[in-house]
């Protein structure tokens, strides 16, 4: 289905029955990243972010700001008729889910963050990250989505995905290639980690139960998960063995098991 918020059409898929769980995908992905996930007792609501999948891809950058994204997401969820729900976010989607949960904490029942950052911290680190993301945004606009896909899939953070069956790898690749260069560029410039606020000091304010999921081979986000756990007693960090950054694709059964035990 499609729901319009302030002239922006958002694409949504709903799967299963039960308590609502809002699922937010990562950068350059779309709702189909979750197609292997089924959770008994839960209605899964998959949403394409602005500039991704079948949602609108406006040229104006104002729609890609974190403030607008969170506001639109809340309006969309309310239009679906949900006032109390759990939320799951992967990578970029997890970062946005974290900011969302801090803004609308009274609405979130439980929060699941998969391989998600709390944002880049420290002035110099943020400056470097923002510069790198701006350069990547320019390269995507200049070289196109096929260039981006080749660059992105060869990042070391995705090394473990090269062992996946060819049809799964092909599905990831096809989803990336459905993107528009300008929309990915706008997303990087407006909500990349260099622009995203450092929320590390606000994690203590999360009042709901939180599950942080990381992969055994993803050293960076295993460390981030440990940070989350130390910063708030409501947070439990679960590491899934034998996988890297994208745990829900690399081992969907272990991922669903972790979700089920937590929920």
């Amino acid at each position: 289905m499609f729901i319009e918020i302030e002239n922006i059409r958002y694409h949504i898929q709903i799967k299963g029955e039960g308590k609502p769980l809002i699922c937010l995908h990562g950068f350059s992905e779309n709702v189909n990243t979750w197609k292997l996930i089924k959770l008994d007792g839960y209605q899964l609501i998959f949403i394409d972010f602005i500039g991704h999948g079948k949602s609108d891809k406006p040229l104006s950058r104002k729609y890609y700001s974190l403030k607008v994204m969170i506001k639109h997401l809340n309006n969309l969820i309310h239009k679906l008729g949900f006032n109390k729900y759990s939320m799951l976010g992967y990578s970029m989607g997890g970062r946005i889910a974290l900011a969302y949960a801090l803004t609308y904490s009274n609405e979130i029942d439980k929060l699941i963050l998969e391989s998600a950052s709390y944002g880049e911290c420290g002035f110099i680190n943020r400056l470097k990250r923002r510069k790198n993301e701006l350069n990547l945004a320019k390269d995507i606009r200049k070289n196109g989505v096929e260039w981006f896909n080749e660059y992105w899939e060869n990042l070391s953070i995705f090394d473990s995905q090269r062992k996946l069956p060819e049809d799964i790898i092909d599905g990831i690749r096809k989803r990336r290639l459905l993107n528009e260069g300008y929309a990915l560029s706008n997303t990087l410039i407006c909500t990349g980690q260099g622009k995203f606020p450092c929320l590390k000091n606000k994690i203590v304010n999360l009042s709901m139960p939180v599950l942080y999921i990381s992969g055994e081979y993803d050293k960076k986000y295993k460390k981030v998960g440990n940070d989350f756990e130390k910063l708030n007693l409501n947070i439990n960090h679960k590491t899934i063995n034998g996988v890297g950054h994208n745990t829900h694709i690399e081992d969907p059964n272990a991922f669903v098991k972790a979700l089920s035990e937590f929920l």
Side-chain angles (χ1 to χ4, degrees):
M1 70 174 73
F2 290 88
I3 292 179
E4 189 170 302
I5 309 291
E6 294 182 356
N7 299 318
I8 301 295
R9 283 200 330 155
Y10 288 92
H11 175 237
I12 300 108
Q13 286 183 1
I14 297 178
K15 179 180 180 180
E17 295 180 356
K19 295 179 181 179
L21 175 63
I22 313 297
C23 304
L24 306 177
H25 63 77
F27 179 66
S28 77
E29 269 283 5
N30 61 45
V31 294
N32 290 321
T33 188
W34 305 111
K35 68 180 181 179
L36 299 176
I37 304 304
K38 183 181 178 182
L39 203 57
D40 291 339
Y42 277 82
Q43 185 178 46
L44 306 180
I45 296 94
F46 308 132
I47 300 170
D48 277 336
F49 278 124
I50 190 167
H52 289 75
K54 294 180 181 178
S55 289
D56 281 352
K57 301 174 178 65
L59 289 169
S60 174
R61 286 182 188 164
K62 70 178 182 180
Y63 294 106
Y64 295 81
S65 73
L66 180 64
K67 184 178 179 180
V68 171
M69 288 178 79
I70 287 176
K71 177 188 169 188
H72 280 198
L73 184 57
N74 186 251
N75 289 346
L76 190 158
I77 291 168
H78 285 184
K79 277 199 173 187
L80 287 167
F82 303 123
N83 295 309
K84 194 74 175 178
Y85 44 88
S86 294
M87 184 170 279
L88 159 65
Y90 160 68
S91 199
M92 180 189 81
R95 198 166 68 240
I96 291 169
L98 173 61
Y100 183 98
L102 287 165
T103 306
Y104 299 104
S105 59
N106 60 317
E107 297 185 18
I108 303 286
D109 186 24
K110 293 184 179 180
L111 177 66
I112 304 105
L113 305 174
E114 177 193 1
S115 308
S117 167
Y118 41 65
E120 199 72 58
C121 299
F123 178 78
I124 299 299
N125 289 338
R126 289 178 61 76
L127 200 63
K128 286 180 180 177
R129 186 66 183 245
R130 203 175 304 162
K131 183 178 178 182
N132 289 340
E133 287 170 340
L134 179 60
N135 288 336
L136 177 56
K138 289 177 179 177
D139 285 341
I140 294 170
R141 279 183 177 267
K142 178 183 176 182
N143 301 315
V145 173
E146 289 189 7
W147 173 88
F148 163 74
N149 174 67
E150 187 173 347
Y151 164 82
W152 200 250
E153 70 182 3
N154 283 300
L155 291 175
S156 60
I157 200 169
F158 299 124
D159 281 349
S160 57
Q161 291 185 20
R162 297 187 188 111
K163 300 173 185 176
L164 290 170
E166 191 55 42
D167 62 318
I168 301 294
I169 294 172
D170 190 52
I172 297 169
R173 186 176 293 129
K174 284 178 178 176
R175 291 195 293 274
R176 287 202 194 108
L177 292 173
L178 284 173
N179 286 288
E180 296 288 348
Y182 72 88
L184 292 180
S185 295
N186 286 348
T187 303
L188 279 171
I189 291 168
C190 297
T191 48
Q193 290 202 52
K195 182 72 172 179
F196 191 87
C198 172
L199 298 177
K200 187 174 183 179
N201 292 336
K202 294 189 177 182
I203 290 170
V204 69
N205 297 328
L206 292 170
S207 56
M208 72 292 294
V210 181
L211 174 65
Y212 189 100
I213 299 176
S214 65
E216 176 188 3
Y217 304 141
D218 189 355
K219 292 181 180 179
K220 176 179 178 180
Y221 286 94
K222 271 178 68 178
K223 182 183 180 302
V224 173
N226 290 335
D227 287 347
F228 268 90
E229 201 168 35
K230 290 172 185 175
L231 290 163
N232 189 318
L233 294 175
N234 291 321
I235 300 176
N236 177 40
H237 178 203
K238 168 76 174 178
T239 298
I240 295 179
N241 294 327
V243 300
H245 189 63
N246 193 327
T247 68
H248 72 266
I249 284 181
E250 294 178 54
D251 193 342
N253 292 332
F255 181 79
V256 168
K257 185 174 184 289
L259 284 190
S260 298
E261 289 173 354
F262 171 68
L263 291 168

